PDB file of all heavy atoms in Angstrom:
ATOM      1  N   ASN A  22       3.444 -68.052  73.665  1.00 97.00           N
ATOM      2  CA  ASN A  22       3.997 -68.483  74.865  1.00 97.00           C
ATOM      3  C   ASN A  22       3.830 -69.976  75.181  1.00 97.00           C
ATOM      4  O   ASN A  22       4.305 -70.469  76.156  1.00 97.00           O
ATOM      5  CB  ASN A  22       3.389 -67.680  76.065  1.00 97.00           C
ATOM      6  CG  ASN A  22       3.947 -66.263  76.149  1.00 97.00           C
ATOM      7  OD1 ASN A  22       4.957 -65.982  75.589  1.00 97.00           O
ATOM      8  ND2 ASN A  22       3.291 -65.423  76.918  1.00 97.00           N
ATOM      9  N   ILE A  23       3.146 -70.632  74.280  1.00 97.00           N
ATOM     10  CA  ILE A  23       3.033 -72.135  74.422  1.00 97.00           C
ATOM     11  C   ILE A  23       4.342 -72.785  74.092  1.00 97.00           C
ATOM     12  O   ILE A  23       4.821 -72.617  72.960  1.00 97.00           O
ATOM     13  CB  ILE A  23       1.866 -72.698  73.565  1.00 97.00           C
ATOM     14  CG1 ILE A  23       0.554 -72.038  73.978  1.00 97.00           C
ATOM     15  CG2 ILE A  23       1.823 -74.221  73.684  1.00 97.00           C
ATOM     16  CD1 ILE A  23      -0.626 -72.381  73.149  1.00 97.00           C
ATOM     17  N   ARG A  24       4.911 -73.528  75.029  1.00 95.00           N
ATOM     18  CA  ARG A  24       6.213 -74.111  74.891  1.00 95.00           C
ATOM     19  C   ARG A  24       6.057 -75.560  74.302  1.00 95.00           C
ATOM     20  O   ARG A  24       6.882 -76.023  73.489  1.00 95.00           O
ATOM     21  CB  ARG A  24       6.949 -74.215  76.252  1.00 95.00           C
ATOM     22  CG  ARG A  24       7.224 -72.890  76.919  1.00 95.00           C
ATOM     23  CD  ARG A  24       7.818 -73.112  78.324  1.00 95.00           C
ATOM     24  NE  ARG A  24       8.934 -73.990  78.309  1.00 95.00           N
ATOM     25  CZ  ARG A  24      10.148 -73.724  77.934  1.00 95.00           C
ATOM     26  NH1 ARG A  24      10.447 -72.489  77.561  1.00 95.00           N
ATOM     27  NH2 ARG A  24      11.102 -74.608  77.973  1.00 95.00           N
ATOM     28  N   TRP A  25       5.123 -76.311  74.890  1.00 94.00           N
ATOM     29  CA  TRP A  25       4.993 -77.782  74.605  1.00 94.00           C
ATOM     30  C   TRP A  25       3.519 -78.076  74.691  1.00 94.00           C
ATOM     31  O   TRP A  25       2.753 -77.424  75.382  1.00 94.00           O
ATOM     32  CB  TRP A  25       5.734 -78.541  75.694  1.00 94.00           C
ATOM     33  CG  TRP A  25       5.526 -80.035  75.643  1.00 94.00           C
ATOM     34  CD1 TRP A  25       6.243 -80.925  74.957  1.00 94.00           C
ATOM     35  CD2 TRP A  25       4.521 -80.767  76.321  1.00 94.00           C
ATOM     36  NE1 TRP A  25       5.759 -82.217  75.181  1.00 94.00           N
ATOM     37  CE2 TRP A  25       4.697 -82.110  76.027  1.00 94.00           C
ATOM     38  CE3 TRP A  25       3.489 -80.439  77.255  1.00 94.00           C
ATOM     39  CZ2 TRP A  25       3.905 -83.179  76.500  1.00 94.00           C
ATOM     40  CZ3 TRP A  25       2.670 -81.402  77.711  1.00 94.00           C
ATOM     41  CH2 TRP A  25       2.884 -82.806  77.341  1.00 94.00           C
ATOM     42  N   VAL A  26       3.085 -79.076  73.874  1.00 95.00           N
ATOM     43  CA  VAL A  26       1.719 -79.444  73.878  1.00 95.00           C
ATOM     44  C   VAL A  26       1.629 -80.982  73.688  1.00 95.00           C
ATOM     45  O   VAL A  26       2.434 -81.586  73.004  1.00 95.00           O
ATOM     46  CB  VAL A  26       0.834 -78.762  72.782  1.00 95.00           C
ATOM     47  CG1 VAL A  26       1.362 -79.081  71.366  1.00 95.00           C
ATOM     48  CG2 VAL A  26      -0.554 -79.044  72.963  1.00 95.00           C
ATOM     49  N   GLY A  27       0.619 -81.595  74.348  1.00 93.00           N
ATOM     50  CA  GLY A  27       0.379 -82.963  74.210  1.00 93.00           C
ATOM     51  C   GLY A  27      -1.131 -83.218  74.185  1.00 93.00           C
ATOM     52  O   GLY A  27      -1.893 -82.484  74.823  1.00 93.00           O
ATOM     53  N   LEU A  28      -1.530 -84.231  73.583  1.00 93.00           N
ATOM     54  CA  LEU A  28      -2.904 -84.632  73.503  1.00 93.00           C
ATOM     55  C   LEU A  28      -3.055 -86.109  73.901  1.00 93.00           C
ATOM     56  O   LEU A  28      -2.276 -86.907  73.369  1.00 93.00           O
ATOM     57  CB  LEU A  28      -3.545 -84.421  72.105  1.00 93.00           C
ATOM     58  CG  LEU A  28      -4.956 -84.923  71.790  1.00 93.00           C
ATOM     59  CD1 LEU A  28      -6.031 -84.081  72.539  1.00 93.00           C
ATOM     60  CD2 LEU A  28      -5.277 -84.870  70.314  1.00 93.00           C
ATOM     61  N   ALA A  29      -3.973 -86.420  74.748  1.00 90.00           N
ATOM     62  CA  ALA A  29      -4.208 -87.775  75.172  1.00 90.00           C
ATOM     63  C   ALA A  29      -5.667 -88.112  75.350  1.00 90.00           C
ATOM     64  O   ALA A  29      -6.476 -87.195  75.549  1.00 90.00           O
ATOM     65  CB  ALA A  29      -3.481 -88.012  76.533  1.00 90.00           C
ATOM     66  N   THR A  30      -6.013 -89.370  75.272  1.00 88.00           N
ATOM     67  CA  THR A  30      -7.344 -89.742  75.542  1.00 88.00           C
ATOM     68  C   THR A  30      -7.643 -89.639  77.036  1.00 88.00           C
ATOM     69  O   THR A  30      -6.702 -89.575  77.842  1.00 88.00           O
ATOM     70  CB  THR A  30      -7.651 -91.209  75.050  1.00 88.00           C
ATOM     71  OG1 THR A  30      -6.920 -92.094  75.866  1.00 88.00           O
ATOM     72  CG2 THR A  30      -7.245 -91.407  73.633  1.00 88.00           C
ATOM     73  N   SER A  31      -8.913 -89.753  77.377  1.00 83.00           N
ATOM     74  CA  SER A  31      -9.252 -89.656  78.797  1.00 83.00           C
ATOM     75  C   SER A  31      -8.697 -90.809  79.661  1.00 83.00           C
ATOM     76  O   SER A  31      -8.664 -90.743  80.806  1.00 83.00           O
ATOM     77  CB  SER A  31     -10.781 -89.590  78.982  1.00 83.00           C
ATOM     78  OG  SER A  31     -11.360 -90.672  78.372  1.00 83.00           O
TER      79      SER A  31
END
Side-chain angles (χ1 to χ4, degrees):
N22 284 344
I23 298 172
R24 300 175 49 81
W25 172 88
V26 63
L28 174 68
T30 68
S31 58

